[in-house]
Amino acid sequence: MEIIKKNEAIQLVENQKVIEEYKFDNEINFSKLMEYLLSLNLSKKITLDDKVSNKKLEEENLLKIITNIINDYNNKTEELETFKKEIENKD
């Protein structure tokens, strides 16, 4: 997943498809990002590639929040993988 800046908006892009766009004059709620992550059903980890240069403070803060959401998702994916391996080893 890439984070890019286009027309003064921050975009999350996966496979050339915009997952969500953030503009600071609109409400930011991460609903589409959360929908996307839920649709993956903890099936794969997400790699985040930050391609935004010359960030403003509010952009840096937004990217920190997005990174934390993705890291949390990846941690839960890893926990599920570990749990599945433990179950397999018990059989």
PDB file of all heavy atoms in Angstrom, residues 67-88:
ATOM      1  N   THR A  67      -0.165   4.821  10.006  1.00  0.00           N
ATOM      2  CA  THR A  67       0.867   3.821  10.282  1.00  0.00           C
ATOM      3  C   THR A  67       0.507   2.995  11.511  1.00  0.00           C
ATOM      4  O   THR A  67       0.659   1.769  11.506  1.00  0.00           O
ATOM      5  CB  THR A  67       2.233   4.505  10.464  1.00  0.00           C
ATOM      6  OG1 THR A  67       2.557   5.216   9.263  1.00  0.00           O
ATOM      7  CG2 THR A  67       3.329   3.498  10.775  1.00  0.00           C
ATOM      8  N   ASN A  68       0.000   3.641  12.542  1.00  0.00           N
ATOM      9  CA  ASN A  68      -0.405   2.915  13.747  1.00  0.00           C
ATOM     10  C   ASN A  68      -1.556   1.953  13.461  1.00  0.00           C
ATOM     11  O   ASN A  68      -1.569   0.831  13.977  1.00  0.00           O
ATOM     12  CB  ASN A  68      -0.791   3.882  14.869  1.00  0.00           C
ATOM     13  CG  ASN A  68       0.409   4.535  15.505  1.00  0.00           C
ATOM     14  OD1 ASN A  68       1.519   4.003  15.465  1.00  0.00           O
ATOM     15  ND2 ASN A  68       0.202   5.697  16.095  1.00  0.00           N
ATOM     16  N   ILE A  69      -2.512   2.372  12.655  1.00  0.00           N
ATOM     17  CA  ILE A  69      -3.637   1.498  12.294  1.00  0.00           C
ATOM     18  C   ILE A  69      -3.119   0.277  11.532  1.00  0.00           C
ATOM     19  O   ILE A  69      -3.494  -0.862  11.821  1.00  0.00           O
ATOM     20  CB  ILE A  69      -4.693   2.273  11.464  1.00  0.00           C
ATOM     21  CG1 ILE A  69      -5.394   3.307  12.339  1.00  0.00           C
ATOM     22  CG2 ILE A  69      -5.700   1.306  10.838  1.00  0.00           C
ATOM     23  CD1 ILE A  69      -6.273   4.273  11.579  1.00  0.00           C
ATOM     24  N   ILE A  70      -2.242   0.510  10.555  1.00  0.00           N
ATOM     25  CA  ILE A  70      -1.688  -0.593   9.756  1.00  0.00           C
ATOM     26  C   ILE A  70      -0.831  -1.514  10.633  1.00  0.00           C
ATOM     27  O   ILE A  70      -0.926  -2.743  10.529  1.00  0.00           O
ATOM     28  CB  ILE A  70      -0.854  -0.051   8.571  1.00  0.00           C
ATOM     29  CG1 ILE A  70      -1.718   0.784   7.620  1.00  0.00           C
ATOM     30  CG2 ILE A  70      -0.151  -1.184   7.833  1.00  0.00           C
ATOM     31  CD1 ILE A  70      -2.821   0.051   6.915  1.00  0.00           C
ATOM     32  N   ASN A  71      -0.020  -0.943  11.507  1.00  0.00           N
ATOM     33  CA  ASN A  71       0.808  -1.765  12.400  1.00  0.00           C
ATOM     34  C   ASN A  71      -0.051  -2.619  13.325  1.00  0.00           C
ATOM     35  O   ASN A  71       0.264  -3.789  13.567  1.00  0.00           O
ATOM     36  CB  ASN A  71       1.757  -0.892  13.217  1.00  0.00           C
ATOM     37  CG  ASN A  71       2.907  -0.357  12.393  1.00  0.00           C
ATOM     38  OD1 ASN A  71       3.217  -0.862  11.311  1.00  0.00           O
ATOM     39  ND2 ASN A  71       3.539   0.689  12.894  1.00  0.00           N
ATOM     40  N   ASP A  72      -1.127  -2.046  13.820  1.00  0.00           N
ATOM     41  CA  ASP A  72      -2.043  -2.807  14.677  1.00  0.00           C
ATOM     42  C   ASP A  72      -2.663  -3.964  13.901  1.00  0.00           C
ATOM     43  O   ASP A  72      -2.744  -5.099  14.393  1.00  0.00           O
ATOM     44  CB  ASP A  72      -3.122  -1.884  15.240  1.00  0.00           C
ATOM     45  CG  ASP A  72      -3.978  -2.559  16.278  1.00  0.00           C
ATOM     46  OD1 ASP A  72      -3.417  -3.158  17.223  1.00  0.00           O
ATOM     47  OD2 ASP A  72      -5.220  -2.497  16.152  1.00  0.00           O
ATOM     48  N   TYR A  73      -3.095  -3.684  12.689  1.00  0.00           N
ATOM     49  CA  TYR A  73      -3.643  -4.741  11.828  1.00  0.00           C
ATOM     50  C   TYR A  73      -2.601  -5.843  11.604  1.00  0.00           C
ATOM     51  O   TYR A  73      -2.900  -7.039  11.722  1.00  0.00           O
ATOM     52  CB  TYR A  73      -4.098  -4.160  10.486  1.00  0.00           C
ATOM     53  CG  TYR A  73      -4.457  -5.222   9.498  1.00  0.00           C
ATOM     54  CD1 TYR A  73      -5.723  -5.810   9.507  1.00  0.00           C
ATOM     55  CD2 TYR A  73      -3.533  -5.687   8.566  1.00  0.00           C
ATOM     56  CE1 TYR A  73      -6.051  -6.819   8.621  1.00  0.00           C
ATOM     57  CE2 TYR A  73      -3.853  -6.696   7.683  1.00  0.00           C
ATOM     58  CZ  TYR A  73      -5.115  -7.253   7.714  1.00  0.00           C
ATOM     59  OH  TYR A  73      -5.432  -8.261   6.840  1.00  0.00           O
ATOM     60  N   ASN A  74      -1.373  -5.448  11.272  1.00  0.00           N
ATOM     61  CA  ASN A  74      -0.307  -6.430  11.029  1.00  0.00           C
ATOM     62  C   ASN A  74      -0.012  -7.262  12.273  1.00  0.00           C
ATOM     63  O   ASN A  74       0.226  -8.471  12.172  1.00  0.00           O
ATOM     64  CB  ASN A  74       0.964  -5.732  10.536  1.00  0.00           C
ATOM     65  CG  ASN A  74       0.849  -5.284   9.095  1.00  0.00           C
ATOM     66  OD1 ASN A  74       0.046  -5.797   8.317  1.00  0.00           O
ATOM     67  ND2 ASN A  74       1.647  -4.309   8.725  1.00  0.00           N
ATOM     68  N   ASN A  75      -0.045  -6.647  13.445  1.00  0.00           N
ATOM     69  CA  ASN A  75       0.169  -7.387  14.690  1.00  0.00           C
ATOM     70  C   ASN A  75      -0.926  -8.423  14.907  1.00  0.00           C
ATOM     71  O   ASN A  75      -0.654  -9.555  15.307  1.00  0.00           O
ATOM     72  CB  ASN A  75       0.243  -6.438  15.885  1.00  0.00           C
ATOM     73  CG  ASN A  75       1.514  -5.623  15.903  1.00  0.00           C
ATOM     74  OD1 ASN A  75       2.527  -6.006  15.319  1.00  0.00           O
ATOM     75  ND2 ASN A  75       1.469  -4.479  16.574  1.00  0.00           N
ATOM     76  N   LYS A  76      -2.154  -8.046  14.621  1.00  0.00           N
ATOM     77  CA  LYS A  76      -3.266  -8.986  14.779  1.00  0.00           C
ATOM     78  C   LYS A  76      -3.173 -10.121  13.755  1.00  0.00           C
ATOM     79  O   LYS A  76      -3.481 -11.277  14.061  1.00  0.00           O
ATOM     80  CB  LYS A  76      -4.592  -8.256  14.676  1.00  0.00           C
ATOM     81  CG  LYS A  76      -4.790  -7.307  15.849  1.00  0.00           C
ATOM     82  CD  LYS A  76      -6.184  -6.869  16.031  1.00  0.00           C
ATOM     83  CE  LYS A  76      -6.409  -5.941  17.177  1.00  0.00           C
ATOM     84  NZ  LYS A  76      -5.474  -5.877  18.247  1.00  0.00           N
ATOM     85  N   THR A  77      -2.716  -9.806  12.558  1.00  0.00           N
ATOM     86  CA  THR A  77      -2.501 -10.835  11.540  1.00  0.00           C
ATOM     87  C   THR A  77      -1.437 -11.822  12.007  1.00  0.00           C
ATOM     88  O   THR A  77      -1.605 -13.041  11.881  1.00  0.00           O
ATOM     89  CB  THR A  77      -2.077 -10.182  10.202  1.00  0.00           C
ATOM     90  OG1 THR A  77      -3.096  -9.279   9.782  1.00  0.00           O
ATOM     91  CG2 THR A  77      -1.852 -11.221   9.128  1.00  0.00           C
ATOM     92  N   GLU A  78      -0.382 -11.303  12.572  1.00  0.00           N
ATOM     93  CA  GLU A  78       0.698 -12.150  13.089  1.00  0.00           C
ATOM     94  C   GLU A  78       0.207 -13.023  14.255  1.00  0.00           C
ATOM     95  O   GLU A  78       0.537 -14.209  14.336  1.00  0.00           O
ATOM     96  CB  GLU A  78       1.856 -11.272  13.530  1.00  0.00           C
ATOM     97  CG  GLU A  78       3.123 -12.028  13.821  1.00  0.00           C
ATOM     98  CD  GLU A  78       4.279 -11.073  14.066  1.00  0.00           C
ATOM     99  OE1 GLU A  78       4.607 -10.294  13.156  1.00  0.00           O
ATOM    100  OE2 GLU A  78       4.812 -11.123  15.187  1.00  0.00           O
ATOM    101  N   GLU A  79      -0.594 -12.453  15.133  1.00  0.00           N
ATOM    102  CA  GLU A  79      -1.148 -13.217  16.250  1.00  0.00           C
ATOM    103  C   GLU A  79      -2.017 -14.373  15.746  1.00  0.00           C
ATOM    104  O   GLU A  79      -1.960 -15.477  16.291  1.00  0.00           O
ATOM    105  CB  GLU A  79      -1.983 -12.314  17.161  1.00  0.00           C
ATOM    106  CG  GLU A  79      -1.165 -11.363  17.998  1.00  0.00           C
ATOM    107  CD  GLU A  79      -2.018 -10.372  18.784  1.00  0.00           C
ATOM    108  OE1 GLU A  79      -3.242 -10.579  18.910  1.00  0.00           O
ATOM    109  OE2 GLU A  79      -1.453  -9.382  19.271  1.00  0.00           O
ATOM    110  N   LEU A  80      -2.805 -14.095  14.726  1.00  0.00           N
ATOM    111  CA  LEU A  80      -3.647 -15.151  14.152  1.00  0.00           C
ATOM    112  C   LEU A  80      -2.792 -16.255  13.541  1.00  0.00           C
ATOM    113  O   LEU A  80      -3.069 -17.446  13.737  1.00  0.00           O
ATOM    114  CB  LEU A  80      -4.606 -14.574  13.112  1.00  0.00           C
ATOM    115  CG  LEU A  80      -5.533 -15.582  12.436  1.00  0.00           C
ATOM    116  CD1 LEU A  80      -6.439 -16.264  13.457  1.00  0.00           C
ATOM    117  CD2 LEU A  80      -6.352 -14.913  11.338  1.00  0.00           C
ATOM    118  N   GLU A  81      -1.760 -15.897  12.824  1.00  0.00           N
ATOM    119  CA  GLU A  81      -0.856 -16.890  12.234  1.00  0.00           C
ATOM    120  C   GLU A  81      -0.211 -17.754  13.319  1.00  0.00           C
ATOM    121  O   GLU A  81      -0.140 -18.974  13.195  1.00  0.00           O
ATOM    122  CB  GLU A  81       0.243 -16.198  11.412  1.00  0.00           C
ATOM    123  CG  GLU A  81      -0.235 -15.600  10.116  1.00  0.00           C
ATOM    124  CD  GLU A  81       0.840 -14.773   9.411  1.00  0.00           C
ATOM    125  OE1 GLU A  81       2.034 -14.858   9.797  1.00  0.00           O
ATOM    126  OE2 GLU A  81       0.484 -14.036   8.482  1.00  0.00           O
ATOM    127  N   THR A  82       0.226 -17.116  14.396  1.00  0.00           N
ATOM    128  CA  THR A  82       0.835 -17.842  15.513  1.00  0.00           C
ATOM    129  C   THR A  82      -0.175 -18.794  16.147  1.00  0.00           C
ATOM    130  O   THR A  82       0.139 -19.950  16.434  1.00  0.00           O
ATOM    131  CB  THR A  82       1.365 -16.842  16.569  1.00  0.00           C
ATOM    132  OG1 THR A  82       2.315 -15.987  15.943  1.00  0.00           O
ATOM    133  CG2 THR A  82       1.979 -17.557  17.752  1.00  0.00           C
ATOM    134  N   PHE A  83      -1.384 -18.312  16.339  1.00  0.00           N
ATOM    135  CA  PHE A  83      -2.438 -19.138  16.916  1.00  0.00           C
ATOM    136  C   PHE A  83      -2.724 -20.363  16.043  1.00  0.00           C
ATOM    137  O   PHE A  83      -2.837 -21.488  16.542  1.00  0.00           O
ATOM    138  CB  PHE A  83      -3.707 -18.299  17.111  1.00  0.00           C
ATOM    139  CG  PHE A  83      -4.881 -19.080  17.614  1.00  0.00           C
ATOM    140  CD1 PHE A  83      -4.937 -19.485  18.939  1.00  0.00           C
ATOM    141  CD2 PHE A  83      -5.927 -19.407  16.760  1.00  0.00           C
ATOM    142  CE1 PHE A  83      -6.022 -20.212  19.406  1.00  0.00           C
ATOM    143  CE2 PHE A  83      -7.006 -20.131  17.215  1.00  0.00           C
ATOM    144  CZ  PHE A  83      -7.065 -20.534  18.541  1.00  0.00           C
ATOM    145  N   LYS A  84      -2.816 -20.153  14.738  1.00  0.00           N
ATOM    146  CA  LYS A  84      -3.074 -21.268  13.815  1.00  0.00           C
ATOM    147  C   LYS A  84      -1.953 -22.297  13.872  1.00  0.00           C
ATOM    148  O   LYS A  84      -2.202 -23.506  13.845  1.00  0.00           O
ATOM    149  CB  LYS A  84      -3.249 -20.749  12.385  1.00  0.00           C
ATOM    150  CG  LYS A  84      -4.574 -20.057  12.144  1.00  0.00           C
ATOM    151  CD  LYS A  84      -4.660 -19.575  10.704  1.00  0.00           C
ATOM    152  CE  LYS A  84      -5.977 -18.938  10.391  1.00  0.00           C
ATOM    153  NZ  LYS A  84      -6.058 -18.464   8.994  1.00  0.00           N
ATOM    154  N   LYS A  85      -0.714 -21.832  13.950  1.00  0.00           N
ATOM    155  CA  LYS A  85       0.419 -22.754  14.041  1.00  0.00           C
ATOM    156  C   LYS A  85       0.374 -23.546  15.352  1.00  0.00           C
ATOM    157  O   LYS A  85       0.672 -24.745  15.358  1.00  0.00           O
ATOM    158  CB  LYS A  85       1.734 -21.983  13.923  1.00  0.00           C
ATOM    159  CG  LYS A  85       2.027 -21.523  12.517  1.00  0.00           C
ATOM    160  CD  LYS A  85       3.319 -20.728  12.444  1.00  0.00           C
ATOM    161  CE  LYS A  85       3.506 -20.200  11.023  1.00  0.00           C
ATOM    162  NZ  LYS A  85       4.665 -19.326  10.909  1.00  0.00           N
ATOM    163  N   GLU A  86       0.011 -22.888  16.433  1.00  0.00           N
ATOM    164  CA  GLU A  86      -0.099 -23.576  17.718  1.00  0.00           C
ATOM    165  C   GLU A  86      -1.170 -24.649  17.663  1.00  0.00           C
ATOM    166  O   GLU A  86      -0.986 -25.750  18.209  1.00  0.00           O
ATOM    167  CB  GLU A  86      -0.403 -22.578  18.834  1.00  0.00           C
ATOM    168  CG  GLU A  86       0.769 -21.696  19.187  1.00  0.00           C
ATOM    169  CD  GLU A  86       0.423 -20.623  20.214  1.00  0.00           C
ATOM    170  OE1 GLU A  86      -0.756 -20.522  20.646  1.00  0.00           O
ATOM    171  OE2 GLU A  86       1.324 -19.865  20.576  1.00  0.00           O
ATOM    172  N   ILE A  87      -2.283 -24.358  17.047  1.00  0.00           N
ATOM    173  CA  ILE A  87      -3.382 -25.326  16.906  1.00  0.00           C
ATOM    174  C   ILE A  87      -2.930 -26.513  16.068  1.00  0.00           C
ATOM    175  O   ILE A  87      -3.197 -27.660  16.403  1.00  0.00           O
ATOM    176  CB  ILE A  87      -4.637 -24.663  16.291  1.00  0.00           C
ATOM    177  CG1 ILE A  87      -5.199 -23.583  17.209  1.00  0.00           C
ATOM    178  CG2 ILE A  87      -5.692 -25.698  15.960  1.00  0.00           C
ATOM    179  CD1 ILE A  87      -5.688 -24.085  18.549  1.00  0.00           C
ATOM    180  N   GLU A  88      -2.243 -26.244  14.977  1.00  0.00           N
ATOM    181  CA  GLU A  88      -1.742 -27.327  14.109  1.00  0.00           C
ATOM    182  C   GLU A  88      -0.764 -28.216  14.854  1.00  0.00           C
ATOM    183  O   GLU A  88      -0.781 -29.437  14.677  1.00  0.00           O
ATOM    184  CB  GLU A  88      -1.044 -26.728  12.875  1.00  0.00           C
ATOM    185  CG  GLU A  88      -1.982 -26.160  11.841  1.00  0.00           C
ATOM    186  CD  GLU A  88      -1.236 -25.520  10.680  1.00  0.00           C
ATOM    187  OE1 GLU A  88       0.002 -25.655  10.582  1.00  0.00           O
ATOM    188  OE2 GLU A  88      -1.906 -24.861   9.860  1.00  0.00           O
TER     189      GLU A  88
END
